[in-house]
Amino acid sequence: MEEKKVIFSGIQPSGTITLGNYLGAVKNWVELQDEYNCLYSVVDMHSITVRQNPAELRKRCVEFLCMFMACGLDPEKNIMYFQSHVSAHAELAWVLNCYTYMGELSRMTQFKDKSAKHSDNINAGLFTYPVLMAADILLYQTDLVPVGVDQKQHIEITRDIASRFNALYGDVFKIPEPYIPKVGAKIMSLTEPTKKMSKSDPNPKGFISLMDDSTAIAKKIKGAVTDSDGRICRGEGKEGIENLMNILSSTTGESIESIEERFAGRGYGEFKSEVAEAVVECLRPVKARYDEYIKDKAYVESVYKKGAEQASRIAYKTLNKVYKKVGFVPRAR
């Protein structure tokens, strides 16, 4: 790869890609692809910490890759692949497990949350998945990791593990930094605006899927939780309105200040209609491109095959260095 800074990010193939994922992550990735060397992985290995239907998982992985491309990620400019197709992820994760402390993992917020949601399946993978996430990042000598504000804890533990390893063996890993976009970083649920919009939300009214049609989008926006204040502005108790303002700003590029001024004295109904229209127009070209990709199986297969080959070449340079440092006998060539 050229001597540009490296960006890595992964997305779990669970649920459906939402407007929140698009505005908070994928849309920003598109803007980075000319300036950085970017790797984007569908992290299927992470997804099996929760029981999956195998056929559904395979289907969703391909759908997510198609969605990446539909959102504007160019396979000629980015390396896109399935995590399970690059075995170096699992190999490095094992080594890093031996340099990660139980106390660090027990403090991870998502382990606590997922343990509460899946109390019948609190498996070792659920506990150690931050180590696999660290391996994902460190394999590629990553400079920046695009993350939501709620994911900073994962970057912190990755930095801790890398620093600990480097202190023992020299500068093996680059210490990554979080890349947090300022606008659209955290789109909230339409039904619970104090919580992030989640693709795994059991209530479909809480999120807008990139696959929702215009009628469904309008209905969800119309039903979005607001307040009885009647004013379109920011402030205490205005989480629902602020969320819709953020969505409008992120889909149109209009500033929050301009939206506040323009809608002063106007009603929620008119405001929600404009938000819905903006979302529909924003997603229209995405859906059209997705429909083309999902039908072209040969092309999609060529993208993820090439992506895995490119990713493997980079990943094994790091892994071989790690193996040498910890004292493993070099593999016979």
Side-chain angles (χ1 to χ4, degrees):
M1 292 199 292
E2 296 173 44
E3 284 303 314
K4 297 177 183 176
K5 285 192 172 181
V6 175
I7 280 182
F8 173 88
S9 194
I11 190 166
Q12 280 200 48
S14 58
T16 178
I17 295 182
T18 70
L19 182 69
N21 298 133
Y22 178 56
L23 297 179
V26 184
K27 187 181 178 187
N28 295 291
W29 296 354
V30 174
E31 294 168 7
L32 302 174
Q33 62 187 359
D34 291 317
E35 192 177 343
Y36 298 94
N37 286 321
C38 301
L39 299 103
Y40 296 117
S41 180
V42 179
V43 288
D44 47 357
M45 293 169 72
H46 281 289
S47 68
I48 64 168
T49 58
V50 176
R51 294 288 175 262
Q52 301 287 336
N53 175 303
E56 279 297 310
L57 178 60
R58 276 189 288 273
K59 180 170 175 281
R60 281 200 310 272
C61 284
V62 173
E63 288 173 349
F64 271 51
L65 188 70
C66 290
M67 193 60 73
F68 283 175
M69 294 189 289
C71 289
L73 291 179
D74 184 347
E76 297 303 316
K77 296 180 179 179
N78 305 278
I79 295 175
M80 291 183 281
Y81 66 100
F82 299 129
Q83 182 189 28
S84 62
H85 288 191
V86 180
S87 58
H89 285 261
E91 292 182 73
L92 181 58
W94 171 252
V95 175
L96 297 183
N97 265 317
C98 302
Y99 294 83
T100 307
Y101 299 132
M102 299 282 282
E104 290 174 308
L105 295 174
S106 65
R107 288 192 293 272
M108 297 299 288
T109 305
Q110 273 195 278
F111 171 68
K112 295 173 186 174
D113 292 346
K114 285 198 174 183
S115 297
K117 286 180 185 173
H118 304 280
S119 56
D120 59 332
N121 181 29
I122 304 175
N123 57 73
L126 195 62
F127 187 66
T128 63
Y129 84 93
V131 183
L132 177 57
M133 191 175 289
D136 299 339
I137 296 164
L138 298 175
L139 271 175
Y140 301 101
Q141 304 298 338
T142 300
D143 293 286
L144 296 168
V145 185
V147 290
V149 291
D150 59 328
Q151 290 280 320
K152 282 187 76 175
Q153 195 182 28
H154 291 116
I155 304 303
E156 286 163 9
I157 194 171
T158 298
R159 287 169 58 87
D160 290 343
I161 295 167
S163 298
R164 185 175 301 133
F165 195 92
N166 285 355
L168 289 167
Y169 301 110
D171 292 331
V172 179
F173 297 121
K174 191 169 282 186
I175 308 298
E177 298 281 348
Y179 176 89
I180 301 174
K182 291 181 177 66
V183 179
K186 201 169 184 183
I187 302 297
M188 312 306 281
S189 164
L190 298 177
T191 54
E192 296 181 79
T194 56
K195 294 182 180 178
K196 193 176 89 165
M197 183 179 285
S198 170
K199 58 187 171 64
S200 303
D201 191 335
N203 181 2
K205 293 179 181 177
F207 63 86
I208 291 171
S209 165
L210 295 200
M211 291 294 97
D212 282 342
D213 60 29
S214 56
T215 303
I217 291 169
K219 189 174 181 181
K220 288 179 180 182
I221 296 287
K222 185 180 179 182
V225 168
T226 51
D227 53 66
S228 57
D229 178 59
R231 292 179 303 126
I232 297 160
C233 62
R234 293 165 289 182
E236 192 174 340
K238 304 288 292 181
E239 293 88 356
I241 285 294
E242 282 190 29
N243 187 39
L244 293 177
M245 290 169 72
N246 201 12
I247 290 171
L248 183 58
S249 174
S250 298
T251 51
T252 64
E254 184 179 4
S255 71
I256 297 291
E257 292 75 17
S258 171
I259 292 167
E260 274 186 312
E261 288 174 20
R262 200 159 56 81
F263 280 94
R266 294 162 72 181
Y268 284 178
E270 190 179 356
F271 174 59
K272 285 183 171 182
S273 292
E274 186 164 324
V275 175
E277 190 177 324
V279 172
V280 168
E281 287 308 309
C282 175
L283 298 185
R284 192 187 303 280
V286 175
K287 291 174 70 171
R289 289 192 295 265
Y290 173 83
D291 289 342
E292 290 177 15
Y293 287 128
I294 201 70
K295 291 171 187 170
D296 194 344
K297 291 181 180 178
Y299 175 70
V300 174
E301 185 176 323
S302 73
V303 168
Y304 66 71
K305 183 181 178 184
K306 179 185 174 185
E309 289 169 354
Q310 290 175 311
S312 292
R313 280 196 294 273
I314 302 164
Y316 270 97
K317 285 180 184 175
T318 299
L319 186 69
N320 289 338
K321 191 174 183 181
V322 168
Y323 276 11
K324 183 178 180 181
K325 291 289 186 182
V326 299
F328 293 165
V329 174
R331 299 181 193 197
R333 298 197 176 193

